[in-house]
Amino acid sequence: MALTRPPGHHATKQKSNGFCIFNFAAAAALHAMSSSSLHHHHPNLKVSILDWDVHYGQGVADIIVDFPNARY
């Protein structure tokens, strides 16, 4: 589990957006899925990102769109 503030959920692959420069939520999810020790022991590891906010974080969706084991 990672609790981050700010999550950076508006920053996309290509640009910062909505005062978000880095997308910490997506970076943490991708790191968890690509970590060699986790991936070795759990090859079907799935990650869920719960963004507790009142609006859509398009940056997270943009970054994890190509990763079927990640859900937003």
Side-chain angles (χ1 to χ4, degrees):
M1 176 186 288
L3 299 174
T4 64
R5 188 69 186 145
H9 63 177
H10 292 300
T12 67
K13 295 176 199 175
Q14 302 298 321
K15 65 178 185 169
S16 59
N17 194 358
F19 300 107
C20 299
I21 298 171
F22 302 109
N23 197 318
F24 299 110
L30 297 181
H31 176 72
M33 290 189 306
S34 67
S35 177
S36 61
S37 62
L38 281 175
H39 187 67
H40 177 69
H41 296 301
H42 306 284
N44 296 321
L45 179 72
K46 295 181 180 172
V47 175
S48 293
I49 300 170
L50 173 64
D51 184 359
W52 192 279
D53 206 309
V54 296
H55 58 270
Y56 184 59
Q58 79 282 9
V60 176
D62 175 62
I63 292 171
I64 68 166
V65 69
D66 296 325
F67 297 89
N69 287 356
R71 294 288 182 252
Y72 175 61

